[in-house]
């Protein structure tokens, strides 16, 4: 059995007469994104501060790679802490320092890098976080959302092994929120760090999380995948998840994943057992779009697709939700296959007229002063139509629809490629 990277065993912590952690047990595994959810004021930030060593438990034990932290000597403890980066909920930026200086501070304090190397690494993070316009600004001159991005860039600048994110997307609009979560997921995939996030941004956070931890009344009421949490029959889980029924996916305007599943169960699995219906799976090549245009513009494109699906499919009695970062599933309970295919054909004709992204983003010429040329790209929108039964699980419907998908439209995108002169 895999040894957890971090483990809590019966951890307890009180502040005066108030007990915040009351026998918390949890496991966090290497290389995964784990998200801690729960009601406000339940102690999520307190739990994170125990991991980084800002707080110590009154009782219980915290283990790192199977070794109790309290048993470590000073050198071992310093090594453990050096492998962790923390993004504070309220940013903790220094008002007397510029954006560049705030982001550079961890490298200056914890490494022996040269000034030139620090500058290059800091500017790389600043560019990735789209902070070039404010590089010489002070925190007080920035909006709350911009300050959050500076804090995130500072947390990632040291390429840490473990990153703790305390509400990393608070105060962001849906597009920027998804952009930040995508960046966290991409960095985790590229550099292999382990991430633990606190977040209230449902359903966005579920699309990047490997595991969910639910903190409830000082204990971890559940730990596992999002799909497992829905299937679990537990009064605390039910209360929390049913509170999400009214949530919509703010990015696309569609139903939240949880509300979608509830409607699917209510309309089809309970009222019409063994009824046949039609489902359409839409898929955007989001990863490629992010690489070409950047995350923000890519998610604007996904929002356009979601709004278009909402407008056209809801009127036919359908309901839709984003099932993963780049997939949207539409259920048409009262539509036959032939009619659904015709609806999709009409839908595709209209979609082609709105999917245009040209001349967007910063060009290489603007960044480097070098000559550049315009390059055109076609980013495909796929769709697959399948007949389904009401006793089927949603995951099986998605797999079958994806197997028969075709390209129905393209985003025509333009960007610029730098022209390098050859040395003779």
């Amino acid at each position: 059995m895999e040894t957890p990277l971090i483990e809590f065993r019966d951890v307890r912590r009180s502040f005066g007469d108030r007990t915040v952690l009351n026998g918390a047990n949890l496991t966090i595994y290497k290389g995964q994104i784990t998200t801690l959810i729960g009601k406000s004021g339940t102690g999520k930030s307190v739990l994170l501060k125990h991991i980084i060593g800002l707080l110590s438990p009154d009782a219980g034990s915290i283990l790192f790679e199977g070794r109790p932290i309290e048993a470590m000597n000073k050198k071992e403890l310093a090594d453990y802490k050096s492998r962790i980066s923390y993004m504070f909920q309220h940013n903790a930026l220094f008002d007397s320092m510029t954006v560049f200086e705030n982001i550079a501070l961890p490298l200056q304090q914890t490494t022996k890098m040269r000034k030139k190397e620090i500058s290059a690494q800091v500017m790389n993070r600043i560019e990735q976080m789209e902070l070039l316009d404010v590089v010489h600004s002070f925190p007080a001159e920035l909006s709350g959302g911009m300050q959050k991005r500076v804090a995130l860039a500072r947390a990632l600048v040291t390429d840490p092994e473990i990153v703790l994110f305390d509400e990393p997307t608070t105060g962001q609009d849906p597009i920027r929120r998804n952009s930040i979560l995508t960046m966290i997921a991409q960095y985790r995939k590229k550099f292999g760090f382990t991430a633990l996030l606190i977040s209230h941004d449902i359903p966005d956070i579920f699309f990047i999380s490997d595991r969910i931890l639910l903190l409830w009344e000082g204990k971890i009421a559940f730990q596992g995948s999002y799909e497992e949490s829905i299937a679990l029959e537990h009064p605390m889980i039910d209360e929390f998840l049913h509170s999400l029924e009214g949530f919509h996916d703010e990015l696309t305007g569609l139903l939240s994943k949880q509300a979608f599943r509830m409607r699917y169960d209510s309309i089809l699995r309970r009222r019409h057992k063994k009824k046949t219906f039609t489902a359409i799976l839409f898929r955007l090549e989001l990863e490629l779009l992010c690489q070409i245009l950047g995350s923000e513009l890519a998610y604007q494109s996904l929002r356009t697709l979601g709004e278009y699906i909402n407008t056209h499919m809801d009127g036919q009695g359908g309901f839709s939700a984003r099932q993963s970062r780049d997939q949207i599933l539409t259920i048409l309970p009262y539509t036959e296959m032939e009619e659904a295919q015709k609806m999709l054909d009409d839908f595709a004709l209209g979609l082609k007229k709105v999917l245009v992204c040209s001349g967007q983003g910063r060009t290489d010429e603007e960044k480097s002063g070098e000559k550049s040329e315009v390059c055109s790209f076609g980013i495909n929108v796929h769709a697959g139509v399948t007949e389904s039964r009401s006793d089927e699980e949603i995951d099986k419907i998605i797999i079958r629809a994806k197997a028969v998908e075709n390209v129905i439209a393209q985003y025509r995108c333009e960007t610029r490629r730098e022209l390098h002169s050859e040395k003779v």
Side-chain angles (χ1 to χ4, degrees):
M1 180 180 254
E2 181 184 359
T3 300
L5 184 65
I6 297 172
E7 184 178 3
F8 276 41
R9 293 182 180 175
D10 199 29
V11 171
R12 301 172 185 273
R13 176 68 195 224
S14 298
F15 296 91
D17 295 333
R18 181 178 171 233
T19 299
V20 178
L21 299 179
N22 188 22
N25 293 280
L26 64 86
T27 52
I28 297 168
Y29 292 95
K30 187 174 183 178
Q32 292 189 344
I33 296 178
T34 301
T35 298
L36 180 64
I37 60 175
K39 292 182 178 180
S40 296
T42 55
K44 298 186 298 297
S45 294
V46 170
L47 193 150
L48 250 63
K49 289 175 182 178
H50 275 76
I51 293 176
I52 201 172
L54 293 176
L55 292 173
S56 298
D58 298 328
S61 184
I62 301 172
L63 287 74
F64 177 71
E65 294 181 333
R67 179 170 170 74
I69 293 176
E70 65 268 20
M72 294 180 180
N73 58 38
K74 288 184 179 180
K75 184 178 179 181
E76 291 172 329
L77 190 60
D79 177 66
Y80 163 68
K81 291 183 178 181
S82 71
R83 298 159 77 175
I84 302 176
S85 181
Y86 187 101
M87 180 175 161
F88 293 88
Q89 183 174 3
H90 299 295
N91 305 326
L93 299 173
F94 292 94
D95 292 335
S96 60
M97 295 182 177
T98 64
V99 167
F100 180 93
E101 291 167 341
N102 267 284
I103 298 173
L105 190 61
L107 295 175
Q108 294 168 345
Q109 292 184 334
T110 63
T111 74
K112 296 181 180 179
M113 295 173 64
R114 299 176 186 176
K115 186 176 180 180
K116 186 176 181 180
E117 293 172 326
I118 290 176
S119 179
Q121 189 154 327
V122 170
M123 288 307 298
N124 182 44
R125 286 292 182 267
I126 283 174
E127 184 175 350
Q128 290 169 332
M129 293 295 296
E130 300 179 30
L131 295 166
L132 285 171
D133 292 341
V134 297
V135 65
H136 299 301
S137 300
F138 291 91
E141 299 172 324
L142 307 179
S143 66
M146 192 73 77
Q147 290 179 20
K148 183 70 69 176
R149 285 157 58 197
V150 173
L152 180 55
R154 185 179 62 183
L156 296 174
V157 74
T158 58
D159 294 328
E161 183 178 341
I162 304 166
V163 186
L164 309 179
F165 298 92
D166 195 349
E167 297 284 2
T169 56
T170 297
Q172 303 288 343
D173 61 66
I175 289 175
R176 180 68 66 181
R177 183 164 65 227
N178 277 269
S179 178
I180 290 174
L181 293 176
T182 294
M183 184 188 61
I184 292 172
Q186 289 174 337
Y187 282 161
R188 195 273 306 175
K189 184 177 180 180
K190 182 175 181 180
F191 300 114
F193 65 75
T194 301
L196 176 62
L197 293 81
I198 289 176
S199 181
H200 290 98
D201 290 326
I202 299 165
D204 309 273
I205 195 65
F206 292 139
F207 295 127
I208 70 164
S209 300
D210 298 299
R211 297 178 77 243
I212 304 295
L213 306 179
L214 174 60
L215 182 63
W216 194 282
E217 296 181 356
K219 300 179 183 290
I220 300 297
F222 167 81
Q223 51 185 326
S225 70
Y226 173 62
E227 286 71 21
E228 289 171 338
S229 72
I230 294 175
L232 186 66
E233 294 184 3
H234 190 293
M236 290 184 289
I237 299 293
D238 289 342
E239 182 179 342
F240 184 77
L241 290 177
H242 280 286
S243 72
L244 308 181
E245 185 174 359
F247 274 81
H248 278 65
D249 184 342
E250 289 184 85
L251 178 70
T252 61
L254 304 174
L255 293 174
S256 71
K257 199 172 178 181
Q258 176 66 13
F260 176 91
R261 287 177 181 268
M262 288 181 175
R263 186 170 297 186
Y264 179 74
D265 287 344
S266 175
I267 294 177
L268 293 168
R269 305 189 77 178
R270 294 174 186 169
R271 296 185 200 169
H272 303 288
K273 294 182 179 179
K274 297 185 179 180
K275 172 184 170 61
T276 59
F277 61 93
T278 306
I280 305 176
L281 180 69
F282 298 92
R283 182 172 66 86
L284 174 64
E285 295 176 345
L286 187 62
E287 200 72 32
L288 184 56
L289 201 57
C290 285
Q291 293 174 14
I292 295 172
L293 294 179
S295 295
E296 186 170 357
L297 291 173
Y299 278 104
Q300 286 179 356
S301 301
L302 183 61
R303 168 181 260 178
T304 298
L305 177 61
E307 291 173 345
Y308 199 75
I309 290 171
N310 211 18
T311 299
H312 286 73
M313 297 300 171
D314 275 19
Q316 306 298 324
F319 55 96
S320 310
R322 187 160 50 123
Q323 300 296 324
S324 66
R325 288 173 55 220
D326 59 356
Q327 293 182 340
I328 295 173
L329 181 65
T330 295
I331 298 294
L332 298 165
Y334 313 109
T335 305
E336 302 291 336
M337 274 285 291
E338 185 176 347
E339 183 184 357
Q341 188 61 61
K342 185 179 183 305
M343 286 171 54
L344 181 60
D345 292 341
D346 294 339
F347 175 90
L349 286 174
L351 185 63
K352 290 173 183 177
K353 298 176 182 178
V354 300
L355 301 188
V356 179
C357 316
S358 60
Q360 302 184 69
R362 295 189 307 277
T363 66
D364 289 330
E365 186 174 14
E366 292 171 321
K367 288 187 267 185
S368 67
E370 297 287 339
K371 293 182 179 179
S372 61
E373 67 178 3
V374 174
C375 299
S376 296
F377 296 86
I379 308 299
N380 294 326
V381 180
H382 304 257
V385 184
T386 184
E387 188 175 67
S388 305
R389 300 186 315 275
S390 56
D391 58 348
E392 283 188 296
E393 294 296 330
I394 292 173
D395 290 346
K396 292 184 178 179
I397 297 172
I398 291 174
I399 292 171
R400 193 167 58 254
K402 188 173 181 180
V404 296
E405 69 178 16
N406 294 294
V407 176
I408 62 167
Q410 275 193 341
Y411 281 84
R412 294 308 305 173
C413 306
E414 290 183 355
T415 186
R416 289 184 178 269
R417 183 180 65 185
E418 186 177 337
L419 296 177
H420 299 278
S421 57
E422 295 183 1
K423 294 182 179 180
V424 180

